[in-house]
Amino acid sequence: MARRQYPFHLIEPRWQEQWHAGQTFRAFNPGELIPAGHPFGIRHQLGGKAATAEELPPKFYILDMFPYPSGAGLHVGHPEGYTATDILARYRRAQGRHVLHPMGWDAFGLPAEQYAIKTGQHPRVTTAANIANFTRQIRSLGFSYDWSREVDTTDPGYFRWTQWIFLQLYNAWFNPATRRAEPISTLEYPAGCDTEARRRAYRDSRRLAYVAEAPVNWCPALGTVLANEEVVDGKSEVGGFPVVRKPMRQWMLRITAYAERLLEDLDRIDWSDSLKEMQRNWIGRSEGAEVDFQLEGHGERIRVFTTRPDTLFGATYMVLSPEHRLVAEIATPAQKAEVERYQRFAAGRSDLERAELSKEKTGVWTGAHAINPVNGARIPVWIADYVLASYGTGAIMAVPAHDERDLAFARTFGLPVVQVVRPPDAGTAWEGYCDEGTAVNSSGPGLVLDGLPTAEAKRVVTAWLVEKGLGQRTVNFKLRDWLFSRQRYWGEPFPIVWKADRETGARHHEALGEGELPLMPPELDDYKPTEDGQPPLARATAWLELPGGTVRETNTMPQWAGSCWYYLRYLDARNGTAFVSAEAERYWMTGRPGTGTGPAPASGVDLYVGGTEHAVLHLLYARFWHKVLFDLGHVSTPEPFHKLVNQGLILGEDGQKMSKSRGNVVNPDDVLREYGADAFRLYEMFMGPLSETKPWNTQGVEGVYRFLGRVWRLFVDDASEVEFEQACAADPGNAAAHLARVRLAASIAEGEATPGQLKALHACIRKVTDDLEHLRFNTAISAMMVFVNEALAWTSKPAGVLA
RNA sequence: GCCGCCGUGGUGAAAUGGCAGACACAGGGGACUUAAAAUCCCCUUCCCGCGAGGGAGUGCGGGUUCGAGUCCCGCCGGCGGCACCA
C-alpha cells in the first residue's frame, strides 16, 4: 500500500459518526417538531418549533434509485449516482433549500428466494444480512441521507401499503369519457346486467386490476410468468432462461388505459430525449383505420387494422393470425387439415424461434376469399404467424407493393403485387417497395385517390369508409396490459380471496378490507416453484384455506410493485395510518416558490438519478401507478419524477462490462480502504460526464487522491505533519489525539488578498457554481484543481481566500 | 431493418459558433535521496527542424459563415433501445 496522503482513515469515520448521531441531514415534515439544537432548525430559525408548510423553506427532493441488496454487496456503479445526488443535496442545502434525500431497499426479489431454495434459509434472514452489509457500505461513503426515512419493501409496515395501493387499482375502473380512473362504484351497468352475478362479471371485467386467461410468458427455469418488459429476445431478463408462451390465468393491470396519457405527459417532464423516445417506442402509438372486408359466401366480415388505408387498392390478399377466431370457420374442407397443421406449428414456436426466423415467412391459404371494399376485388385469405393475434385486430390486409413484410410473403408464395403509390423521386426505378408518395392505380366507383399525396389520400379514403359504414379512424398501441402476478414466495401476497358460490360452486375473487392489511405471507419450508405453475404459497394449506370454502390468492406481486411507489413512502415513512399524509405529500411533491436560491421547486421529485436499465420497466410502471393515485385523489401531481438523469455505466479496467466471470469487478470496500471515501467519490465524479459510459482506472483514483493530498498540504503545516506521522508511528493507539495537534500552515495568515488571488478564487467559484447547476461534476473538479495548483504557489495565502 | 445517442492526443476527457486538447492518467527528463517510495519542477497532438520556427490536425466527403470540433446535407464506424406492432 502506498503511503497515505492524508489521514482520511481518522477524519472520515469521525464525521460520519457525528452526522449519524446528530441526524444532521434529517428533513422535517410540516408539523413535525424540529429539535432545538438541530442544524436545520438553527439555520432557518425554526429550532424547537413544529413548522407549518408555509414556514418551512422551499423543498428540494433528490432521489436515488434504491438498490436491490444483493449478496454481492455494493457495486462501484451504485456510488456514481449516489455521489452525484449527494453533491447536489449538499449544494442545495447550502443554498437554503429544505432537501429531502432518502435511501432504502428494494428487497423482494428472486436471488434471495433462489438462495433459500438452495440452502433452506429463509429469505428474510439473507435479506436482513444483505441490508446490513449495504448499510455499512453506503454509510462508509459518507452520503448525507436522512436515515430516519429508510424504507424496506419487505417490511410489513411497507408492503401493507403496497397491498393497499393494489386495492385502489382493484377498486377502480378507467372511465374513457373522463379519461381518468374512478371508484368502481361509479361504474354504470349496461342493459342486461340484471343479476348480481352478471353485474359482478361486468365489474370484474372493468377493474384496473383484473384476472385474465391469456397466453403469457412462462419461464420454466424460474418457475414463474414474466411481464413483456422482462422478456428480452425470448429469454428472461433475469438469468437469460428460455421463455415460452402458455395460456394461464393471471392478474393483469390495465396500463393500456393510460397509454395516451403516459405518452402525452412525457412532454411535461425533464428527461433525456433518448429515454423519452424509449418510452414512446414502447407505448408505440400508431394512427390508422379499421376496415371491414366481407368474406365471400359467408356472413362474417374480417376487420383489419392498417396505418395505410390509402393503399387499400393495392391489397392483394389478407392474412389472419393463426389464433384468429374466424380461422376454423372459414377454412374450406380442402384446406382444413393443412390449416390445422399450421396452427399447431405456430403454437409450438417459441418467441425466440419466431424472432430468429423472422426473415423466413411461413403460412397457408385458408381456401377462403374476401372482397376488397374499394374495388370489389376477390382476394385470398391466408393465415401466417407474422401477423400477431395480440396487436390490432389480429388480421391484416396485405399490400405487398408498399410493405416489406407483405412483399416477402408475396414473393414466397407467388401472390400478386400491385403498385398504388408512386415515390416522389419518380426518376428512380421502383424496386417493389416504397413508403410515401402519390397515389396511382387507386380509383374505383365513387372513390378517386389518384394524384393525391399519401397524407391526403389517407384522409379521403377514411372519410369514404366511414360514410359507407366500412371502417373508422383508429389508434392502436403496442403497449400491453401489465402481467402482475408471479409464482414466487418472496413477494407481496395479493390481498385477495376466492369465494365459492353456494349454488354453482364457481369461484370469484373479492378484496380483503383495508383493516386486514398487511396480509403476511405464510411460513414455508419449501420455496421451490412447481413445474405446472402452481405458486409455492399453494402448499401452505393452513394459510390458504379459510372458512366456507374460501381460499386465498396464492400468486405474489412482482418486484416492481414495491419500487412503484417508494418515493412516496419516503415522504412519510413511519405513518401507520396512511401510505403518506396528505400534508407531507403536498409539501414535498408540489413546488412552492420561496426564499433560497436555485431553481423553482418542481412538481414531483426535483431530481431522480439512476441507471438506464429501468427505462421501460420501473419508470413506466411508477408513472402508471402515480397517475392512478392522482386520479383517485391520493397524490397531487400527475407525474412522479420531474427531472431524471441516467448515470452512465462504469466498465472494468479492460473496458468490458464488469462481471465476476471476467474477473474485472472493482470492489468499493477495497478502494475505500486504500484511498478513502473522498477520493473514491471524487474519482467517480472526475471520470467524465455523469451520463457517459466510462472505464474504471485505478491510476485515475490515485490522481484525485494526490489532489486531495495537495489540498491537505495546502492547509497543514509541514513540521506538524511530520510530528503527526512520527507520533502515530510511536503510539498508533492515539492517532486521533495526534491529529488534533496538527497546525495550520504558517503561510496561511490574515491579510489582504491580492487582485490576482481574488480573481483566481472567483473564477473558481463561478465555474463550480455553474457546473453544479448542470451536473457537470468533472469540470467543476478540474476548476478546483486549477485553483489549488495556483494557491500552492502563493507565498502568502490569505485565510479569507482559502476558507 | 427502424429509432436515439456518440465519434477530439497513447488513455479518461475539456472547449456560449471565436487561440482545439483545460484538468488528469500514462510516458519521458530533472531535483531531493546512499537508494527507493513519496514530493516538487520541466516536456509530452502529429510531421519537418539542432533551433528559432514551419506545416497538418477534432471519423470521411461536401455546404453555410469573416470564422465550424460545435450548425446543415450525404457517407463510414461505435454504443444503446426496439425488432414481423401492419
Side-chain angles (χ1 to χ4, degrees), chain A residues 622-634:
Chain A
R623 292 181 64 216
F624 163 50
W625 276 35
H626 195 88
K627 285 182 185 305
V628 174
L629 292 171
F630 175 70
D631 288 353
L632 298 175
H634 297 303

Side-chain angles (χ1 to χ4, degrees), chain A residues 285-342:
Chain A
R285 182 182 193 276
S286 55
E287 284 184 27
E290 286 183 354
V291 185
D292 288 341
F293 283 66
Q294 183 64 51
L295 278 160
E296 188 188 57
H298 199 286
E300 292 274 5
R301 291 171 164 190
I302 298 173
R303 177 165 293 184
V304 304
F305 172 73
T306 177
T307 56
R308 298 295 305 275
D310 61 298
T311 62
L312 210 40
F313 285 93
T316 53
Y317 62 101
M318 295 184 78
V319 187
L320 308 186
S321 69
E323 300 88 357
H324 197 281
R325 66 176 179 92
L326 288 177
V327 173
E329 273 186 56
I330 66 175
T332 56
Q335 293 296 107
K336 200 161 192 82
E338 205 178 332
V339 164
E340 284 169 3
R341 191 169 347 112
Y342 185 76

